[in-house]
Amino acid sequence: MGTTLPVLRKSLLSGARDAEGIAVVIDVLRAFSSAAFMMHLGAHKIVLVADPEEALRFKAERDALAVGEVGGQMVSGFDLGNSPSRILTAGRDLFAGRVVAQRTSAGVTGAVTAARRADQVLLGSYVTARATARYLLGHSPPPDTVTLVAMGNGGQACTPDDEACASYLEHMLTGAPYDHTAALRRIVKHECTQKFLRGDQAHYPPADPVYCLQRDLFDFALVAQLEEGLLVARRIDVPG
């Protein structure tokens, strides 16, 4: 990746509001890792909605799936919560060819917010990071600015998983230093991961961080555009 791009770093919902150019809204644990696994399992597209009631209406009117959470827990009437391990357990039989309405407290809300100002929104996570960087570096015309927005805990408090993923993307886009071993140490020690590893809350499965912290698992980027007033994410293959 010899080309470099101008990168702006932002965090939380306030950062999503200020996103410029192409915004990469990052939610490692778990929204946009979940989104990538749903696309891997054959989902046709993901409609990002900030309001859980809107997701339920969309499910009823369009025969769609509803996936996501409020406060970390699955919403009544949704098909699944915001859990990559449970998405993988549900498998291709549930997702192949389906439209998914996704609602989460941090990532989805941030993407919907960023779309009000940014030219384009990408959904960022470790599992799609290198493909996302390749998409940006190959974009024509090159973006004037790439805003990396680390959404953190509920869009209100910074967490090392999203900040480190932003640093990894910045490394690939600009050549800035990045130490993945040090990043993993910070992430695993932090409460954002420990709440899963303790295994004492059913809506935080211990397997989720194992999936979410895999780097560059997929060769596609998740690109969201406004379509008929809805923010819709689709898979864009970016071969290595």
Side-chain angles (χ1 to χ4, degrees):
M1 297 185 187
T3 307
T4 63
L5 293 175
V7 167
L8 184 65
R9 290 285 295 267
K10 298 283 185 179
S11 299
L12 311 178
L13 276 173
S14 58
R17 293 187 195 102
D18 294 335
E20 303 173 20
I22 297 180
V24 184
V25 179
I26 299 163
D27 190 335
V28 172
L29 288 168
R30 297 169 284 177
F32 296 147
S33 302
S34 292
F37 281 105
M38 289 189 285
M39 285 298 197
H40 168 69
L41 292 170
H44 173 58
K45 62 183 180 182
I46 297 174
V47 179
L48 303 165
V49 293
D51 179 1
E53 294 302 321
E54 184 182 355
L56 288 169
R57 284 194 300 273
F58 190 90
K59 173 184 174 177
E61 293 170 2
R62 311 286 184 95
D63 189 30
L65 299 171
V67 174
E69 51 76 30
V70 172
Q73 301 197 48
M74 186 174 82
V75 179
S76 177
F78 276 33
D79 296 279
L80 282 173
N82 184 34
S83 169
S85 61
R86 289 175 180 157
I87 286 166
L88 283 168
T89 298
R92 188 169 291 272
D93 286 347
L94 180 62
F95 288 102
R98 300 296 298 277
V99 175
V100 180
Q102 187 183 26
R103 190 277 167 193
T104 70
S105 302
V108 170
T109 303
V112 171
T113 301
R116 296 171 187 153
R117 175 169 171 171
D119 299 328
Q120 189 178 70
V121 173
L122 276 67
L123 313 185
S125 66
Y126 270 122
V127 296
T128 59
R130 186 168 294 276
T132 300
R134 286 200 301 262
Y135 174 87
L136 291 164
L137 289 165
H139 197 276
S140 181
D144 293 333
T145 304
V146 175
T147 305
L148 303 177
V149 186
M151 289 307 301
N153 184 11
Q156 303 299 318
C158 291
T159 55
D161 56 320
D162 292 344
E163 296 293 339
C165 186
S167 294
Y168 182 45
L169 284 162
E170 185 177 18
H171 164 71
M172 290 186 284
L173 295 175
T174 71
Y178 175 75
D179 182 338
H180 191 58
T181 302
L184 284 175
R185 188 180 306 118
R186 290 192 299 272
I187 293 165
V188 171
K189 288 173 61 177
H190 194 273
E191 176 63 15
C192 70
T193 306
Q194 287 295 314
K195 67 186 179 187
F196 294 92
L197 300 182
R198 283 194 296 269
D200 56 2
Q201 299 181 79
H203 55 284
Y204 292 131
D208 278 357
V210 176
Y211 294 113
C212 292
L213 297 177
Q214 301 297 317
R215 279 195 296 174
D216 311 323
L217 199 57
F218 302 122
D219 285 331
F220 58 80
L222 296 178
V223 181
Q225 303 270 23
L226 287 171
E227 300 179 13
E228 299 179 355
L230 296 170
L231 186 62
V232 178
R234 300 178 185 274
R235 165 182 172 160
I236 304 294
D237 291 328
V238 193

